[in-house]
Amino acid sequence: MASHANKPLMVQLAERSYPIHIGSGLLNQISTLLPQLPPQIFILTNTTVAPLYLAQLQQSLAESATEHQVVVHQLADGEQYKSLESFAEVMNTLIGASFNRDCAVLALGGGVVGDLAGFAAACFQRGVDFYQIPTTLLADVDSSVGGKTAVNHPLGKNLIGAFYQPQAVVIDTDCLNTLTERDFHSGLAEVMKYGIIHDAEFFTWLETNAAKLVARDSAALTEAIARSCAIKAEVVALDEREQGVRALLNLGHTFGHAIEAASHYGEWTHGEAVAAGTVIASNLAMAMQLITASDFRRIVALTKALGLPVKPPQLAWDTWLSYMQRDKKVQAGKLRFVLPTAIGSATVTSQVDPELVKAAIADVS
Ligand SMILES: NC(=O)c1ccc[n+]([C@@H]2O[C@H](COP(=O)([O-])OP(=O)(O)OC[C@H]3O[C@@H](n4cnc5c(N)ncnc54)[C@H](O)[C@@H]3O)[C@@H](O)[C@H]2O)c1
Ligand SMILES: [Zn+2]
């Protein structure tokens, strides 16, 4: 298997291009991997991640040639803290510490910490350097790459945010060892997504290596993360602001967001909801003769093999509709769906008969 530790992947965005370093033990190598870090460093993390990894990061920073003034801000743990209130606290801390435009913001945590840190970095002093050090599988393969940053509003997720790319992403695969089973599997749903929308060979590789991935085999995970990041980097390079192809990354998400919202963002993790949503989207694609029955069966089988749910919760059709209509992907009042057109490719369409959608949900429920 190829080693990804020494050769970073690149997100190609002209003058905003940046490397993604992936490997075991990288948290101990921050000062070598990021020699350009300025003296003033703000670390955003949370109360779960800090006891696990903050000391390691600080030790690594202390080893660099530059003397650093490090300020740490710990959020409480939970999606509800990806809020404007937390954003204001972060601003107060940065301003209180007299940080200037040359400071850097480091995100040490999952997608919640990363999204808030990125938005704070985009806004503080109209934009300061930002580095992602993701610690969940979902953040490794999805939220840390691509520059979408946001906080939630009581009326909806991610309603306030900015496109703001990091200077670099450092993924230490050792951090995955402490994730709960559910958070770990949640990330695998996004990994599978990349195979379905973009890379048939990767999908086949996932089928072959599902057992190793579920067992958190380090080499298999490194490979899966690298290939996922490579696909995300390629898609983001083509369409940074989601005018076109980037929308394919939302496979399973219109249904998934409805499941998450209907379960009040608690019973279902994001990845579980996306997995069940992907099965619905694939069933719909089969009904519309976009994919074969055999492709559909492979998607269901891989979802199960990755320890993810294939059946959505029992929701009334009106409930599905009302939540789907609130999705950000709705355009001019029309529901839009990302549907696979084969294993390895997908399309976005609003030309879908609602009766077929209803039947596709019922069929897998
Ligand atoms: N910006 C984007 O492009 C993008 C893409 C996808 C998702 N997101 C956002 O990401 C968020 C979800 O991210 P997430 O799934 O990482 O959730 P999260 O940040 O809440 O992390 C999940 C849980 O794992 C804990 N945790 C983190 N690292 C750990 C570790 N190494 N060991 C043990 N526990 C650890 C966290 O404290 C939390 O309890 C959502 O807010 C979503 O909107 C953003
Ligand atoms: Zn997602």
Side-chain angles (χ1 to χ4, degrees):
M1 201 209 63
S3 164
H4 302 277
N6 300 320
K7 199 167 135 272
L9 266 166
M10 287 301 293
V11 182
Q12 300 291 356
L13 289 166
E15 72 285 359
R16 282 173 293 107
S17 299
Y18 55 93
I20 307 172
H21 303 274
I22 305 167
S24 163
L26 298 195
L27 212 44
N28 297 324
Q29 298 170 36
I30 294 292
S31 56
T32 334
L33 292 171
L34 309 175
Q36 74 281 30
L37 281 174
Q40 292 184 324
I41 292 180
F42 177 85
I43 301 174
L44 186 68
T45 185
N46 78 11
T47 50
T48 302
V49 177
L52 295 168
Y53 302 110
L54 180 60
Q56 233 176 304
L57 173 58
Q58 286 180 307
Q59 173 63 36
S60 183
L61 288 171
E63 284 161 11
S64 76
T66 321
E67 181 103 15
H68 294 295
Q69 178 194 356
V70 179
V71 170
V72 179
H73 188 98
Q74 292 190 30
L75 299 169
D77 191 352
E79 178 77 33
Q80 68 271 37
Y81 298 102
K82 204 176 101 176
S83 64
L84 277 178
E85 289 74 19
S86 300
F87 172 83
E89 284 168 19
V90 168
M91 290 300 130
N92 291 340
T93 308
L94 283 163
I95 295 162
S98 304
F99 269 30
N100 56 44
R101 284 204 66 182
D102 303 323
C103 75
V105 171
L106 273 56
L108 177 70
V112 166
V113 165
D115 278 13
L116 173 57
F119 186 51
C123 296
F124 182 61
Q125 308 262 8
R126 300 198 184 89
V128 297
D129 284 356
F130 172 45
Y131 294 85
Q132 287 272 18
I133 308 174
T135 61
T136 65
L137 182 56
L138 182 136
D140 289 353
V141 300
D142 201 350
S143 62
S144 70
V145 175
K148 279 191 186 176
T149 75
V151 296
N152 301 325
H153 183 274
L155 293 182
K157 270 189 66 156
N158 299 329
L159 290 182
I160 304 155
F163 283 97
Y164 197 68
Q165 301 292 345
Q167 302 291 314
V169 181
V170 180
I171 300 174
D172 184 340
T173 51
D174 295 347
C175 294
L176 301 177
N177 294 326
T178 51
L179 277 183
T180 63
E181 280 293 300
R182 288 189 78 188
D183 284 317
F184 178 72
H185 288 279
S186 196
L188 288 176
E190 307 284 7
V191 171
M192 179 177 77
K193 168 184 88 178
Y194 293 114
I196 299 175
I197 63 168
H198 197 75
D199 190 339
E201 196 197 308
F202 182 41
F203 189 92
T204 306
W205 183 90
L206 289 171
E207 291 177 315
T208 311
N209 290 279
K212 280 189 185 168
L213 289 169
V214 169
R216 305 193 200 193
D217 175 272
S218 172
L221 274 174
T222 304
E223 181 73 16
I225 292 167
R227 291 178 79 160
S228 300
C229 286
I231 295 170
K232 177 132 190 197
E234 191 183 328
V235 171
V236 168
L238 288 170
D239 178 23
E240 186 181 9
R241 288 180 173 250
E242 199 168 316
Q243 316 281 305
V245 66
R246 189 168 179 170
L248 299 181
L249 297 175
N250 296 314
L251 174 71
H253 282 63
T254 300
F255 298 111
H257 287 155
I259 295 171
E260 280 183 277
S263 71
H264 306 290
Y265 300 99
E267 278 162 60
W268 287 69
T269 66
H270 176 71
E272 289 164 352
V274 166
T278 298
V279 170
I280 298 172
S282 306
N283 191 277
L284 179 58
M286 178 173 66
M288 293 170 70
Q289 294 175 348
L290 294 171
I291 62 168
T292 63
S294 142
D295 286 342
F296 175 66
R297 280 195 298 273
R298 285 178 70 192
I299 292 168
V300 172
L302 181 59
T303 310
K304 284 186 184 157
L306 295 176
L308 290 159
V310 295
K311 276 182 196 294
Q314 295 291 330
L315 305 173
W317 171 238
D318 285 352
T319 311
W320 280 108
L321 259 188
S322 70
Y323 283 118
M324 289 194 297
Q325 270 153 358
R326 268 181 248 172
D327 198 81
K328 278 202 297 300
K329 279 89 207 173
V330 171
Q331 267 186 358
K334 280 211 123 185
L335 285 176
R336 292 196 312 154
F337 296 96
V338 180
L339 300 176
T341 50
I343 285 179
S345 70
T347 186
V348 183
T349 176
S350 52
Q351 308 298 318
V352 183
D353 176 357
E355 284 304 315
L356 280 180
V357 179
K358 193 175 165 182
I361 294 172
D363 196 38
V364 300
S365 295

